[in-house]
Amino acid sequence: MSESFALQAVGLTRYFNGRCAVQDLHLSVPRGGVFGFLGRNGSGKTTTIRLLLGLLRPDRGSSTLLGCDSQRLTPEVRARVGYVTEEHCVVPSLSVTENGAFQSRFYPRWNARVFDSVVGHFGLKAKARARDLSRGERAGLALAMALAPEPELLILDDPALGLDPVARRALVESMIYITRRSDRTIFFSSHDLADVERVADSIAILDHSVLRVCCPVDVFQSRVRRYRLRFKGRPPALPEIRGVLQVRRGEQEMQVTGVAEGEELGRALGALGAESMEQVPISLGDSVLSFLSERGEKAMGWGTELEEA
């Protein structure tokens, strides 16, 4: 384990009632920047986050947070971490201001100007009771309380889930603003791939409790490619080709998405005898969805993983 990483896991594994929620996870999140943690519901994202925070004990493996063993975090280390969940935990009976005052008692360093700035960004009234706030407003209050201690590491567990477009945009804008400090790390999970594409420097993809991808966004996008092939007649059956993730067929056209190992994928597809073949643009969101699709690689038993070299 290295202190150069904000978060690190080695062989992290956790079971619930005999079911594996996280399997042999090896993960390294460098300090600084924004790290997107992706996967469908039930893939193990929240369990992983709780393990990294020391809120759950692993059945196997270990992890560190800001260079400290996750199972032995001191109050001083925890004070350097901000944590926002999709439930946006606040005290319902207290006002916006009172929630901030209550939270500040647990942190030796509390920047009231940061709290007021985030609260103002979400248009929250100081005397409004938390129980009367909308979901988006509660998200803003939770984020304000997480940012006021000026944490080195901010962990967001799908905080935009269920928010309307205006509240979601305010949350993303806040994330962009706080990344201006190069010494701050944001680790966040999200179902909105457009948000990830907008703010993330690196991503990890967890699928069925197994880490499939962990690399910078630009590396991921350079490796996942989509080809469009046109034939005179019906496209032929696709032979087993390493790295194929998803195949879509038309009457005279076939679209193939896969992980490119050099030019190997393009050469293999070029041998199918198509009249024409072209590489077409693919967004980060579509690339991620190709990895999470039940078709292609996983349905046919082909293993593909991406790691930063």
Side-chain angles (χ1 to χ4, degrees):
M1 300 284 188
S2 170
E3 291 193 9
S4 62
F5 295 104
L7 294 164
Q8 199 168 21
V10 177
L12 206 59
T13 301
R14 172 73 190 209
Y15 288 85
F16 290 105
N17 299 320
R19 175 185 170 275
C20 187
V22 177
Q23 181 179 340
D24 194 31
L25 179 72
H26 290 72
L27 180 69
S28 295
V29 178
R31 291 178 184 258
V34 182
F35 195 101
F37 194 43
L38 311 176
R40 67 186 114 192
N41 287 335
S43 61
K45 299 190 304 300
T46 294
T47 298
T48 298
I49 288 173
R50 291 177 65 82
L51 287 166
L52 293 169
L53 284 166
L55 302 176
L56 287 175
R57 287 191 174 276
D59 291 305
R60 291 195 305 273
S62 61
S63 63
T64 60
L65 183 151
L66 297 177
C68 302
D69 187 329
S70 294
Q71 297 302 312
R72 295 179 175 83
L73 297 180
T74 64
E76 290 76 19
V77 173
R78 291 191 182 278
R80 294 158 60 194
V81 180
Y83 178 39
V84 180
T85 70
E86 64 182 70
E87 290 85 8
H88 311 133
C89 297
V90 296
V91 183
S93 60
L94 299 183
S95 69
V96 168
T97 299
E98 290 168 342
N99 263 281
F102 177 76
Q103 185 85 339
S104 69
R105 298 174 188 172
F106 300 96
Y107 293 92
R109 183 173 63 182
W110 181 268
N111 191 328
R113 286 181 298 177
V114 171
F115 179 82
D116 293 339
S117 176
V118 178
V119 163
H121 185 65
F122 281 83
L124 306 184
K125 295 180 180 178
K127 296 183 179 180
R129 296 290 170 184
R131 61 169 168 258
D132 298 324
L133 300 178
S134 68
R135 184 175 178 84
E137 290 171 332
R138 287 198 305 275
L141 176 56
L143 184 63
M145 293 193 298
L147 290 177
E150 298 187 303
E152 294 174 40
L153 172 63
L154 180 62
I155 298 179
L156 305 172
D157 189 5
D158 218 351
L161 187 66
L163 301 190
D164 62 59
V166 174
R168 179 183 293 277
R169 181 171 182 175
L171 186 66
V172 172
E173 286 175 347
S174 298
M175 289 176 61
I176 293 173
Y177 175 77
I178 61 180
T179 56
R180 292 178 180 176
R181 278 180 46 176
S182 60
D183 61 340
R184 177 172 288 157
T185 306
I186 299 177
F187 182 87
F188 79 107
S189 69
S190 177
H191 284 84
D192 194 304
L193 298 177
D195 290 349
V196 176
E197 190 160 14
R198 187 176 177 189
V199 301
D201 303 306
S202 299
I203 60 170
I205 300 177
L206 199 62
D207 188 25
H208 296 295
S209 308
V210 176
L211 188 68
R212 302 290 185 187
V213 171
C214 184
C215 64
V217 169
D218 57 350
V219 172
F220 180 72
Q221 291 192 287
S222 71
R223 295 279 300 282
V224 179
R225 300 178 189 175
R226 175 169 287 171
Y227 293 90
R228 181 182 295 126
L229 293 81
R230 293 185 175 88
F231 298 85
K232 289 183 179 180
R234 188 170 181 81
L238 191 69
E240 185 172 318
I241 299 175
R242 177 179 171 79
V244 169
L245 297 172
Q246 191 177 63
V247 180
R248 293 180 179 176
R249 295 176 178 275
E251 290 186 5
Q252 294 180 292
E253 184 176 297
M254 181 163 59
Q255 186 172 273
V256 180
T257 304
V259 177
E261 297 285 350
E263 299 303 319
E264 181 181 340
L265 178 59
R267 284 197 298 267
L269 294 175
L272 296 178
E275 273 193 310
S276 65
M277 183 179 79
E278 61 178 333
Q279 185 177 335
V280 296
I282 180 169
S283 68
L284 175 64
D286 283 346
S287 298
V288 172
L289 290 175
S290 295
F291 259 88
L292 297 177
S293 171
E294 290 295 345
R295 298 183 58 193
E297 174 215 4
K298 289 177 284 296
M300 299 182 183
W302 305 333
T304 301
E305 295 186 2
L306 267 181
E307 256 183 82
E308 183 181 6

